[in-house]
Amino acid sequence: MTDLFPKVAALLCALTLGQPLLAADGTTPKSATGHLSIELSAAEDIGGACRISFLAQNKLQHDIQHAVYEMVLFNTQGSVAQMTLLDFQDLPTDRPRVRQFAFEGQPCNDISRILINGASTCEAADQNACIKTLDLTSRAKTELLG
């Protein structure tokens, strides 16, 4: 009975403060610590290249001075079409940033998925911030995975 009291007290505090205690996997939820979101906003064919636009929003408690992601583009058959590094530059806290990249000789209709394979560079107070809180979405028909 005595070890039940701390659990009930913690639950009441969390409910009172409106904060979840733990995510389903036992970690602190993204909403409690902030997150970095990357949205695949658009993909359009421009002069023999697929130009892809990403919207990045840093909702962490610190700026990211420099982020470079290893990206893998998959074709419509599910095979790797291209692997490259994309420089997202600086990602300041609470300031949305749009980054565009052109993939020469790669029509947008031939790209089915884009995988963020990892962060090649992450200059931030927390060196894992570029990956561990990543929240990915896509407005295009191309899927964005991480």
Side-chain angles (χ1 to χ4, degrees), residues 10-11 13-24 27-33:
L11 178 61
C13 286
L15 291 173
T16 302
L17 296 173
Q19 293 291 326
L21 292 173
L22 295 175
T27 61
T28 305
K30 289 180 186 176
S31 60
T33 60

Side-chain angles (χ1 to χ4, degrees), residues 18-145:
Q19 293 291 326
L21 292 173
L22 295 175
D25 63 358
T27 61
T28 305
K30 289 180 186 176
S31 60
T33 60
H35 65 277
L36 174 63
S37 69
I38 296 179
E39 172 188 276
L40 194 164
S41 293
E44 60 183 327
D45 290 308
I46 305 284
C50 180
R51 183 173 66 189
I52 298 179
S53 302
F54 294 95
L55 171 64
Q57 296 189 76
N58 180 356
K59 297 294 184 182
L60 298 168
Q61 297 174 356
H62 53 81
D63 292 345
I64 295 174
Q65 286 78 32
H66 193 200
V68 178
Y69 288 99
E70 180 181 85
M71 300 283 204
V72 183
L73 282 64
F74 291 87
N75 63 25
T76 54
Q77 292 78 37
S79 298
V80 172
Q82 186 175 352
M83 203 167 169
T84 188
L85 296 176
L86 299 183
D87 189 350
F88 276 71
Q89 303 169 22
D90 65 317
L91 300 171
T93 300
D94 289 326
R95 302 212 37 212
R97 292 289 185 250
V98 172
R99 304 292 187 231
Q100 292 184 323
F101 305 94
F103 298 95
E104 292 295 326
Q106 187 73 51
C108 293
N109 284 338
D110 289 351
I111 302 171
S112 63
R113 295 180 294 163
I114 299 175
L115 170 67
I116 296 180
N117 213 30
S120 169
T121 301
C122 184
E123 294 175 14
D126 178 356
Q127 297 301 302
N128 296 311
C130 297
I131 289 295
K132 75 177 181 182
T133 65
L134 203 54
D135 184 25
L136 304 173
T137 57
S138 179
R139 290 184 181 265
K141 72 173 193 162
T142 305
E143 185 179 11
L144 183 61
L145 308 165

